Amino acid sequence: MASSMLSLGSTSLLPREINKDKLKLGPSGWNPFLRTKSLSRVTMSVSVKPSRFEGITMAPPDPILGVSEAFKADTNELKLNLGVGAYRTEELQPYVLNVVKKAENLMLERGDNKEYLPIEGLAAFNKATAELLFGAGHPVIKEQKVATIQGLSGTGSLRLAAALIERYFPGAKVLISAPTWGNHKNIFNDAKVPWSEYRYYDPKTIGLDFEGMIEDIKEAPEGSFILLHGCAHNPTGIDPTPEQWVKIADVIQEKNHIPFFDVAYQGFASGSLDEDAASVRLFAERGMEFFVAQSYSKNLGLYAERIGAINVVCSSADAATRVKSQLKRIARPMYSNPPVHGARIVANVVGDATMFGEWKAEMEMMAGRIKTVRQSLYDSLVSKDKSGKDWSFILKQIGMFSFTGLNKAQSDNMTNKWHVYMTKDGRISLAGLSMAKCEYLADAIIDSYHNVS
Ligand code: KET
């Protein structure tokens, strides 16, 4: 339509209203006849220029980050944001770790420059991040079998791996747990990697459907990628036991699958970095080839710095070198090279024995505060709810979240009536809860559970 109109400022002349015989267009296309004599005969229509983006529909809000936007818009004083997994203090304020501030001050004092990093990121960070994952001196590191490149936090690192899968394993399927972190599906969809789900959560037991999980992994086409949460499964807070991990590794090995770990909560599940890396290390000890995406959003509180890594454990140093070169090739046209600030913070903290110790202490403090509110929420539920419902699943879950079992309508009630913001799958982030708010939250849960179906 735009091309068939003559435009006069904000008005338009429709073609059928122009007497072509009388039009004598000059070389520039300017027509004095139109402007003077004919203006009285043409219909002046005020039209909004149609947009080239007419076909673009409104995207739905993000199921997790959209909750924070809705929370901000709520003016009620009682409001509580348990949507995004972000640590808050007892006063419900964001928390910058002291050790992070210390590292940043050191960086300022040193006057570090802002030159581009290499495509693969900061060398000191890549070394530190692999060591944190596998343990310094682990054979896979000593034998240079790990291809590590810095990524744009966990999400960006997962996305790089997805692109590598799409390029070098065409048609291979990724199996993801049902349920999983909402963005996993988006990541594989955007990378055009087919995925399907394996059974994980059993609503009847509010626990792990281990048999179902094993069956589904067994049934997947040989050579599939099996996405596993290294620790503190999101959203369920239910992890396999060490014995179950061994069985999972057995089936994956039998079927020649490739494990793909998402480690976004190392240190946050148990409070110990080593304990939380046990699942990953089990697979490394077996000499398997696998992927691990890492994030420092939660454990170092570096959410907005976008710092993480993708590690590909290979069976030889030669393979690792080639894989790394291809990861760089994928990164270069996507974002060229990663940001330096968060990488320096991680490298400084992990590389300095004193600061490393301070980090561990702060991480234990954060994990401890979450455990305390978890217990307090449970106590409030048990003392207030007279129905005899068993709430002990809350204590069995680990990490930042509790998967309450509330359905969508009940979750809506939590938000609409109680101003408790949470994801619609019934997940609440205990990292956003304070002791002072436990009773209020228990009231909201009991009301939503019993009065909404
Ligand atoms: N993996 C998992 C399992 C995960 O929960 C998150 C973030 C990420 C990766 C990515 O985080 P990044 O900041 O890109 O390193 N989860 C929280 C935030 C979000 O949804 O982006 C959340 O579930 O609330």
Side-chain angles (χ1 to χ4, degrees):
M1 194 176 168
S3 58
S4 61
M5 275 182 167
L6 282 176
S7 180
L8 280 178
S10 61
T11 62
S12 304
L13 302 174
L14 300 175
R16 66 184 151 78
E17 291 154 346
I18 300 167
N19 183 342
K20 279 194 187 124
D21 292 340
K22 289 182 184 166
L23 279 178
K24 289 198 176 60
L25 295 170
S28 66
W30 178 75
N31 177 8
F33 179 72
L34 257 182
R35 293 215 0 164
T36 54
K37 219 172 151 188
S38 282
L39 265 185
S40 57
R41 291 198 287 118
V42 296
T43 308
M44 303 297 287
S45 66
V46 179
S47 78
V48 179
K49 237 181 159 187
S51 166
R52 318 276 169 97
F53 309 117
E54 221 56 56
I56 298 183
T57 56
M58 193 65 190
D62 183 79
I64 299 176
L65 299 185
V67 173
S68 299
E69 289 169 31
F71 172 79
K72 268 187 209 145
D74 188 336
T75 52
N76 193 293
E77 278 178 12
L78 294 168
K79 69 177 180 176
L80 192 55
N81 188 3
L82 308 183
V84 69
Y87 183 82
R88 297 280 179 268
T89 62
E90 189 54 34
E91 292 72 41
L92 298 183
Q93 294 306 306
Y95 178 62
V96 180
L97 276 73
N98 292 322
V99 74
V100 166
K101 289 184 193 157
K102 194 169 165 180
E104 284 179 322
N105 282 332
L106 275 175
M107 284 153 60
L108 265 182
E109 276 169 27
R110 277 207 310 248
D112 287 336
N113 67 45
K114 303 285 185 195
E115 289 281 293
Y116 287 132
L117 282 181
I119 303 169
E120 70 262 38
L122 188 73
F125 165 79
N126 288 344
K127 181 176 181 293
T129 199
E131 288 181 355
L132 211 63
L133 192 60
F134 301 105
H138 192 285
V140 290
I141 294 177
K142 272 204 278 187
E143 293 160 21
Q144 300 183 317
K145 289 178 177 170
V146 193
T148 302
I149 89 161
Q150 186 185 327
L152 302 181
S153 210
T155 307
S157 304
L158 288 160
R159 185 64 178 80
L160 282 176
L164 190 82
I165 293 172
E166 193 269 335
R167 201 165 282 188
Y168 290 100
F169 300 85
K173 205 154 81 163
V174 176
L175 261 77
I176 56 185
S177 62
T180 193
W181 175 50
N183 215 19
H184 280 148
K185 294 176 184 175
N186 300 333
I187 289 168
F188 294 114
N189 283 342
D190 277 9
K192 304 200 166 28
V193 173
W195 56 267
S196 64
E197 293 180 314
Y198 61 83
R199 279 169 281 172
Y200 192 85
Y201 174 73
D202 183 353
K204 281 191 250 75
T205 60
I206 320 188
L208 179 63
D209 180 359
F210 185 62
E211 301 302 313
M213 177 182 185
I214 293 291
E215 259 178 47
D216 291 347
I217 294 175
K218 260 189 194 158
E219 272 165 29
E222 205 161 311
S224 295
F225 289 83
I226 314 294
L227 192 81
L228 302 158
H229 297 224
C231 65
H233 183 273
N234 178 8
T236 65
I238 302 159
D239 282 354
T241 62
E243 297 73 34
Q244 287 172 331
W245 273 119
V246 170
K247 287 196 181 129
I248 294 166
D250 286 345
V251 243
I252 289 180
Q253 239 171 342
E254 267 165 40
K255 290 295 309 258
N256 241 340
H257 294 323
I258 305 174
F260 183 170
F261 280 97
D262 180 356
V263 176
Y265 300 94
Q266 190 180 354
F268 240 93
S270 66
S272 151
L273 284 164
D274 289 321
E275 231 175 273
D276 287 357
S279 57
V280 168
R281 291 179 190 177
L282 167 75
F283 285 69
E285 256 104 74
R286 289 181 174 219
M288 295 168 78
E289 296 193 300
F290 60 100
F291 289 62
V292 191
Q294 287 172 285
S295 165
Y296 290 92
S297 290
K298 327 282 169 155
N299 54 11
L300 252 180
L302 293 177
Y303 310 92
E305 297 299 349
R306 312 310 296 144
I307 179 67
I310 180 71
N311 304 266
V312 186
V313 182
C314 305
S315 59
S316 70
D318 178 52
T321 309
R322 284 181 280 110
V323 167
K324 187 168 176 173
S325 75
Q326 291 298 342
L327 285 170
K328 286 165 64 176
R329 192 180 179 190
I330 290 168
R332 170 68 168 147
M334 262 194 203
Y335 57 83
S336 191
N337 46 71
V340 73
H341 192 74
R344 280 202 186 116
I345 295 172
V346 177
N348 285 341
V349 170
V350 178
D352 176 283
T354 311
M355 283 200 277
F356 193 32
E358 286 168 10
W359 176 31
K360 285 179 180 169
E362 280 191 278
M363 202 154 42
E364 269 171 42
M365 179 277 290
M366 291 190 287
R369 198 188 83 73
I370 297 172
K371 280 184 193 156
T372 310
V373 288
R374 189 184 281 285
Q375 179 69 49
S376 169
L377 173 64
Y378 169 78
D379 292 343
S380 299
L381 283 165
V382 169
S383 74
K384 283 169 179 280
D385 182 23
K386 306 294 175 210
S387 74
K389 179 179 162 58
D390 181 8
W391 295 99
S392 63
F393 66 90
I394 290 182
L395 294 181
K396 289 183 199 134
Q397 297 167 342
I398 57 164
M400 270 195 165
F401 304 108
S402 177
F403 204 48
T404 60
L406 294 176
N407 62 27
K408 186 179 174 300
Q410 293 164 337
S411 302
D412 280 340
N413 185 64
M414 295 282 286
T415 306
N416 300 339
K417 179 170 170 188
W418 294 87
H419 304 273
V420 174
Y421 287 78
M422 59 188 284
T423 53
K424 300 297 171 216
D425 57 0
R427 183 189 87 169
I428 53 174
S429 168
L430 296 177
L433 179 64
S434 62
M435 291 295 277
K437 291 279 190 175
C438 282
E439 290 212 6
Y440 178 78
L441 179 62
D443 287 334
I445 292 175
I446 291 166
D447 172 55
S448 305
Y449 180 77
H450 291 298
N451 301 327
V452 180
S453 51

